[in-house]
Amino acid sequence: GNSVTQMEGPVTLSEEAFLTINCTYTATGYPSLFWYVQYPGEGLQLLLKATKADDKGSNKGFEATYRKETTSFHLEKGSVQVSDSAVYFCALSDGPGGGNKLTFGTGTQLKVEL
Amino acid sequence: DTAVSQTPKYLVTQMGNDKSIKCEQNLGHDTMYWYKQDSKKFLKIMFSYNNKELIINETVPNRFSPKSPDKAHLNLHINSLELGDSAVYFCASSATRTRTDTQYFGPGTRLTVL
């Protein structure tokens, strides 16, 4: 079956530090890959996505590249802000055969301090 | 206008009761989902409907029954509530079942069973 593994949190960084959150996946088909963000007390928002190998998703200074050879989709940001504090989820979708359900990683809590 | 809305936002009830959670999307999407987020923030698919047809039914107790009266609505009814049902339930929708489609999430319903 499909699975997503992401690094354990919490991750605590100082403002303007570089962020990497690792994500690797196992899939039987050819999935699309997503990063979702959950701010405290809110639902999930799409941060970025990539739908084929070597695609780079980017949004609000965050980036992730779909690496088929290493089955990875690591999230990066060059300079984090306090407002980036949230829980970040890596997820994959394998399409109609699997009903297009999202399979999520366990989430990584990010805390950014001044 | 809220794209995906859920009611209620909070639900506190006693064991053994029956309760419902309602979801509505105004995005014109064909596909809707229910996810459960446990106390460790792990998210798992429960059900999915496409054009009012059930297409995903994960290993969920049959005390949980989804109903889709039309494409814009997906409700979740839970019978004989148990302590372990306490969680945050998220509704989501996507334009189609294609793996590249983004899923848009509602704000969640926090269910507490006493």
Side-chain angles (χ1 to χ4, degrees):
Chain A
N2 297 334
S3 67
V4 175
T5 302
Q6 55 181 112
M7 60 190 285
E8 292 281 333
V11 173
T12 303
L13 294 173
S14 298
E15 204 171 39
E16 299 185 1
F18 185 86
L19 169 71
T20 301
I21 300 178
N22 290 337
C23 171
T24 57
Y25 68 90
T26 302
T28 51
Y30 193 170
S32 293
L33 301 174
F34 302 81
W35 277 100
Y36 279 86
V37 59
Q38 185 177 27
Y39 297 101
E42 297 185 12
L44 282 78
Q45 302 174 26
L46 178 72
L47 183 58
L48 52 84
K49 71 179 185 182
T51 59
K52 61 183 187 295
D54 300 324
D55 266 2
K56 178 188 280 190
S58 60
N59 186 26
K60 298 180 183 178
F62 291 89
E63 292 183 341
T65 301
Y66 189 143
R67 300 282 187 207
K68 195 162 185 278
E69 64 277 13
T70 54
T71 62
S72 65
F73 192 53
H74 303 320
L75 182 69
E76 295 182 338
K77 186 175 185 184
S79 175
V80 293
Q81 306 298 312
V82 171
S83 57
D84 293 327
S85 298
V87 181
Y88 291 81
F89 292 92
C90 184
L92 69 82
S93 169
D94 63 357
N100 199 33
K101 66 181 180 185
L102 286 172
T103 299
F104 285 92
T106 51
T108 301
Q109 180 157 12
L110 170 66
K111 184 176 179 184
V112 180
E113 299 174 333
L114 288 171
Chain B
D1 274 349
T2 304
V4 182
S5 58
Q6 295 178 229
T7 54
K9 190 168 173 62
Y10 300 97
L11 190 49
V12 181
T13 188
Q14 300 287 332
M15 264 183 13
N17 284 350
D18 303 339
K19 289 294 177 187
S20 292
I21 305 171
K22 298 190 175 197
C23 177
E24 177 181 0
Q25 54 95 2
N26 63 7
L27 298 167
H29 288 172
D30 284 348
T31 311
M32 296 184 73
Y33 312 81
W34 279 111
Y35 289 88
K36 179 181 180 180
Q37 185 175 47
D38 65 22
S39 58
K40 295 186 177 179
K41 293 203 174 293
F42 185 67
L43 282 145
K44 190 168 165 53
I45 185 77
M46 299 174 70
F47 302 102
S48 176
Y49 273 74
N50 187 66
N51 279 322
K52 301 196 299 175
E53 178 189 352
L54 181 66
I55 55 170
I56 296 176
N57 186 349
E58 292 288 288
T59 49
V60 176
N62 58 16
R63 298 182 294 103
F64 289 78
S65 53
K67 280 195 173 47
S68 182
D70 56 55
K71 272 187 2 173
H73 295 86
L74 179 61
N75 303 323
L76 182 65
H77 188 75
I78 315 169
N79 288 328
S80 303
L81 278 155
E82 300 178 357
L83 292 176
D85 297 333
S86 295
V88 181
Y89 293 84
F90 287 103
C91 178
S93 72
S94 62
T96 69
R97 294 168 57 192
T98 308
R99 66 172 179 85
T100 56
D101 283 352
T102 298
Q103 292 187 26
Y104 294 84
F105 284 76
T109 295
R110 182 175 293 276
L111 171 64
T112 303
V113 182
L114 304 174

